[in-house]
Amino acid sequence: LPTRLPLSSRRRRESDEHQAEAAPAPTVAAALDALLRFYGAPARRERRDPVDELVLTILSQNTTDVNSGRAFESLVRTFGPGVQWREAVAGADERDVATAIRCGGLADQKARSIRGALRRLRELYGSITLAPLAALPDDAARVKVLTEMHGVGPKTAACVLLFSMDRPAFPVDTHVHRVITRLGLIPEGCSRERAQELMSAMVPDERKYEGHMLLVQHGRRGICPKVGVKPPTKRRRTKKPTTTSSSSSSRSSGSSSSGNSSSGSSDSECTSKPYAEEVHKLAKHGTERSQKMRKRKTVTSPH
């Protein structure tokens, strides 16, 4: 007698069949163009000293910019004005450093990383500076020096290069990783480190700063329905044609009614854009994609 395929095999086959019918993923250029139309060109951040940028980026891990900024100010205020705080922190007790940056979260872990990084720079160059990085032959060598420090990963190194040395790096933080995953610009399950490698290769050097800042801004606002970037989605097959037409008509009426109810809100401002017909696609398709991923994780195996 023919045996029934295991649940995991059936699910994998159905997933492959749906994938064959999936809408194509937007290109990186198309996604960045849509974000640029909606948000406008991002302003250039104030260029900090590379050491300050390194410490501030470590402080920004797993917290908000507001908290990391407060922690940095507290660190400088506690250990001295100007650049004196660097030597003071390198020679201070780790617990005192943690106390100064407590408002930034994960204080003990970050204090160890900051103190270790400053000491490492002093060992390498005789003083706490990153100026010698400019003399290295390429960015790979610069990243190698930075990531050899405890607590400094590829994202932190890329932030130092992009924001303080004006190098074409593409940091992938939590916000960027969430957005590019849901847009299908990277494969599902791709780690942040691998995502950073892929995006660094796909985004032209002249658009790396712009692209990173736009994706960060969009990620912080949530995957909103306003931008008009359509993530790749898997189309569900329907058994009855009449159901498809009725559901599409109900969706059309629902979208029109929701558009009327949102007058006066920020959504209505977006619908006045030239690309108004696409503004609600992102929320709709992003939600479907998230629901499908959650459903796939919660399916239990047969007893």
Side-chain angles (χ1 to χ4, degrees):
L1 294 176
T3 57
R4 188 176 178 84
L5 286 174
L7 180 61
S8 59
S9 299
R10 296 200 309 273
R11 194 184 308 121
R12 189 181 306 112
R13 186 177 65 182
E14 292 173 358
S15 176
D16 293 341
E17 291 173 356
H18 288 315
Q19 188 66 39
E21 299 178 357
T27 64
V28 172
L32 295 185
D33 288 344
L35 292 169
L36 183 62
R37 287 196 300 269
F38 182 73
Y39 293 111
R44 281 275 172 180
R45 278 178 40 173
E46 179 185 358
R47 188 169 174 178
R48 299 185 182 93
D49 180 89
V51 175
D52 291 357
E53 188 68 46
L54 173 63
V55 173
L56 190 56
T57 306
I58 293 174
L59 289 171
S60 71
Q61 295 169 1
N62 299 296
T63 191
T64 64
D65 285 349
V66 173
N67 288 338
S68 61
R70 289 173 179 168
F72 184 76
E73 291 175 359
S74 175
L75 186 69
V76 175
R77 185 171 58 251
T78 302
F79 288 96
V83 297
Q84 298 176 9
W85 66 269
R86 302 175 184 176
E87 291 289 348
V89 169
D93 187 277
E94 194 172 290
R95 291 171 295 184
D96 294 335
V97 179
T99 300
I101 63 174
R102 188 72 61 188
C103 60
L106 300 176
D108 295 335
Q109 174 184 326
K110 294 176 181 179
R112 189 178 308 113
S113 298
I114 291 170
R115 186 165 165 265
L118 297 179
R119 288 186 169 192
R120 176 60 177 166
L121 290 177
R122 188 169 58 188
E123 293 174 2
L124 287 174
Y125 306 121
S127 62
I128 301 177
T129 179
L130 281 170
L133 289 187
L136 295 180
D138 51 39
D139 288 337
R142 299 180 182 99
V143 169
K144 185 176 184 298
V145 171
L146 292 168
T147 54
E148 285 177 348
M149 303 176 191
H150 175 73
V152 179
K155 189 267 290 188
T156 299
C159 285
V160 173
L161 295 181
L162 180 66
F163 296 125
S164 67
M165 302 184 70
D166 202 23
R167 300 299 306 164
F170 195 92
V172 173
D173 61 5
T174 302
H175 301 295
V176 174
H177 188 254
R178 183 188 304 124
V179 174
I180 61 180
T181 298
R182 293 189 64 178
L183 292 181
L185 301 179
I186 59 172
E188 289 185 15
C190 187
S191 67
R192 285 200 303 177
E193 290 75 12
R194 179 56 180 160
Q196 182 165 308
E197 295 175 0
L198 294 174
M199 293 298 290
S200 296
M202 290 189 291
V203 179
D205 288 351
E206 64 273 11
R207 299 199 72 177
K208 281 185 167 61
Y209 181 90
E210 171 192 84
H212 170 79
M213 296 300 288
L214 288 171
L215 289 167
V216 168
Q217 186 174 3
H218 191 53
R220 286 174 177 171
R221 294 188 60 169
I223 308 298
C224 73
K226 304 176 184 179
V227 174
V229 180
K230 179 179 179 181
T233 54
K234 299 175 183 178
R235 301 170 184 169
R236 294 183 179 275
R237 293 191 298 271
T238 55
K239 296 180 180 180
K240 298 180 180 180
T242 55
T243 304
T244 305
S245 60
S246 61
S247 61
S248 62
S249 61
S250 63
R251 283 197 301 270
S252 301
S253 60
S255 62
S256 60
S257 62
S258 63
N260 294 332
S261 63
S262 64
S263 60
S265 66
S266 59
D267 285 352
S268 63
E269 296 174 2
C270 184
T271 56
S272 63
K273 302 286 185 180
Y275 50 95
E277 67 277 3
E278 299 180 356
V279 295
H280 293 291
K281 291 181 181 178
L282 188 58
K284 172 185 171 184
H285 293 285
T287 302
E288 291 178 358
R289 184 179 178 87
S290 297
Q291 290 175 348
K292 187 171 295 183
M293 292 174 66
R294 286 197 297 269
K295 186 181 297 183
R296 189 182 307 163
K297 292 179 181 178
T298 55
V299 172
T300 57
S301 59
H303 296 289

